[in-house]
Amino acid sequence: MAVNLQIPEKSSVFPVAGIEIGIAEAGIRKANRKDLTVFRLAPGTAVAGVFTQNRFRAAPVQVCEANLASGSEIRALVVNTGNANAGTGAPGLKATHDTCEALAKLLGLSAHQILPFSTGVILEPLPVDRLVAGLPAAIGNLAPDNWFDAAYGIMTTDTLPKISSRRVDINGHTVTITGISKGAGMIKPNMATMLGYLATDAGIAPALLKEVASDLANQSFNRITVDGDTSTNDSFIVMATGQCGLSVDSREHPAYAALYQALAEAALELAQKIVRDAEGATKFMTIQVEGAGNTDEALKVAYAVAHSPLVKTAFYASDPNLGRILAAIGYAGIADLDVGGVNLWLGDVLVASNGQRHPDYIEADGQRIMKDAEIKVRIALGRGNATETVYTCDFSHDYVSINADYRS
């Protein structure tokens, strides 16, 4: 059950000039479902990506990294669901290369100009023959207004599609930004199983776009967690077609700040929608840590709280057993933490001050906040000026059921 996740009207999902998308049914894992998506990019489109840090990086992740590093102009993306093509060794790499070569031949490109992506079950061979057989149908479906259908096409255990789309005026140019993401479980990106594609018709110089993609990921997809598991396939791709007339070549450009802000808002929306649709989630939780000595400290504490199964199950039960949060703060890894300086709020309720239960706190106040579908936990460490925020969810019975049945 998604937590306050709204699907936009199809008419409010704006096409990005220079990008066409096609969707097809290839029968990768199950029949009669859209499981193959192709993006075709106009010449001159800049592309950058951020990928999983898992050492078992899937074959498509390895090929994406190599193709981006080659300096080739990326002209197409291909995404399959139902099979992650991870833990598949040399045969998996060959299957990915075969996919790129097949799509390149159909589009009149080089295989190095293709970025491949897979998501689904790990440790199973990719049925590349079915994938390749489905490519002509996907290409035949190419259209600029297929973002909405593509958001459905890349889903696995997601219950709803994740879409963000907006038009903003920047320096006299109408700039379109549209993106989609997927992910519901195995989410703790260290760059979630997560895929994200964000595009704009503004132009961004390739070297700058690489930095922008990393910064966007760090402030969005790298600030979410569902279960603390980093997938083998996590990928976040940013595309800038340059077709709206605005072109940004440096951080000093007068349009850079506004363009980056608009992209950052879209990326964060896509990331938060993954948490809102997390497997079995009933609560959306914001964990804000302030007064940390540095960013690393703040994130250690935020993730310790966000990952704690005891905290997450208490939130599911709407049980204000908030000592579990203090315990997580204490084991987060700050060796010299003075617990006497720690304050904790649940929503607008001050629960603990100076490291102990606040004298005015009553459990009924905590219970009132815990019943909400969206809850903010604010932690002040009293050590410095660094602040970081992480987004997470509760753990329910359904999370176990979904993952117990995932391969069936």
Side-chain angles (χ1 to χ4, degrees):
M1 180 177 66
V3 183
N4 295 335
L5 174 55
Q6 303 299 319
I7 305 175
E9 294 292 329
K10 193 170 184 177
S11 60
S12 66
V13 179
F14 305 116
V16 177
I19 297 180
E20 299 172 289
I21 306 174
I23 306 99
E25 297 178 2
I28 301 296
R29 182 169 180 81
K30 295 180 179 180
N32 303 315
R33 68 150 294 167
K34 293 178 171 61
D35 55 8
L36 182 61
T37 303
V38 170
F39 291 71
R40 181 165 63 185
L41 315 182
T45 299
V47 180
V50 181
F51 301 94
T52 183
Q53 297 300 301
N54 193 308
R55 290 299 300 159
F56 265 106
R57 296 190 327 285
V61 169
Q62 297 176 52
V63 174
C64 276
E65 291 174 324
N67 287 355
L68 284 168
S70 73
S72 300
E73 182 184 45
I74 302 302
R75 293 289 311 284
L77 285 58
V78 55
V79 189
N80 77 266
T81 64
N83 185 296
N85 195 11
T88 49
L93 275 172
K94 183 180 184 305
T96 300
H97 286 300
D98 289 348
T99 299
C100 292
E101 289 169 4
L103 181 58
K105 184 176 180 180
L106 290 168
L107 295 179
L109 303 172
S110 160
H112 293 291
Q113 295 179 285
I114 311 294
L115 296 185
F117 305 87
S118 297
T119 182
V121 179
I122 297 169
L123 208 65
E124 292 189 3
L126 179 71
V128 67
D129 54 339
R130 280 178 252 162
L131 193 163
V132 169
L135 289 174
I139 293 171
N141 183 243
L142 284 167
D145 60 351
N146 266 342
W147 285 92
F148 193 84
D149 292 340
Y152 280 93
I154 64 173
M155 290 167 52
T156 49
T157 59
D158 312 60
T159 67
L160 294 172
K162 289 88 180 169
I163 311 167
S164 176
S165 190
R166 64 201 67 207
R167 281 181 172 153
V168 294
D169 183 77
I170 301 177
N171 286 23
H173 297 274
T174 300
V175 176
T176 300
I177 297 170
T178 297
I180 58 176
S181 63
K182 64 80 54 181
M186 196 179 272
I187 302 293
K188 196 278 184 180
N190 187 4
M191 147 324 289
T193 304
M194 183 216 101
L195 298 176
Y197 305 97
L198 184 62
T200 178
D201 56 4
I204 303 176
L208 178 61
L209 187 64
K210 186 175 181 180
E211 298 174 7
V212 166
S214 179
D215 290 347
L216 291 174
N218 282 335
Q219 294 305 315
S220 59
F221 296 104
N222 276 346
R223 294 295 182 268
I224 64 173
T225 182
V226 169
D227 45 24
D229 273 335
T230 294
S231 169
T232 54
N233 294 63
D234 301 338
S235 304
F236 172 52
I237 300 297
V238 184
M239 298 162 277
T241 69
Q243 298 211 2
C244 76
L246 175 66
S247 186
V248 175
D249 57 3
S250 72
R251 294 178 186 269
E252 290 70 40
H253 190 285
Y256 174 80
L259 178 58
Y260 180 84
Q261 181 63 29
L263 288 167
E265 289 172 359
L268 183 59
E269 181 183 354
L270 290 172
Q272 289 182 346
K273 285 184 173 182
I274 288 175
V275 176
R276 292 184 183 281
D277 193 31
E279 292 169 345
T282 69
K283 305 282 177 69
F284 177 87
M285 296 143 56
T286 299
I287 314 297
Q288 179 179 305
V289 178
E290 59 191 52
N294 52 53
T295 293
D296 183 60
E297 282 188 359
L299 288 175
K300 279 183 177 179
V301 171
Y303 274 121
V305 174
H307 288 157
S308 167
L310 292 179
V311 170
K312 293 162 81 70
T313 50
F315 274 79
Y316 169 63
S318 298
D319 175 18
N321 187 356
L322 302 176
R324 293 177 174 184
I325 297 177
L326 291 185
I329 297 169
Y331 66 60
I334 304 176
D336 61 344
L337 177 66
D338 177 6
V339 298
V342 174
N343 294 334
L344 167 66
W345 289 263
L346 184 68
D348 59 357
V349 176
L350 180 58
V351 174
S353 58
N354 303 317
Q356 57 188 310
R357 183 182 178 122
H358 186 68
D360 294 334
Y361 172 69
I362 58 174
E363 187 160 310
D365 289 336
Q367 186 78 58
R368 169 175 58 85
I369 302 297
M370 292 288 271
K371 289 180 178 179
D372 292 340
E374 301 201 22
I375 302 171
K376 183 174 183 178
V377 175
R378 183 160 68 97
I379 301 160
L381 298 180
R383 293 170 59 84
N385 298 314
T387 299
E388 287 290 343
T389 303
V390 165
Y391 306 94
T392 190
C393 61
D394 58 342
F395 265 164
S396 70
H397 301 289
D398 284 346
Y399 177 85
V400 176
S401 298
I402 290 166
N403 282 283
D405 295 338
Y406 179 57
R407 296 205 325 144
S408 60

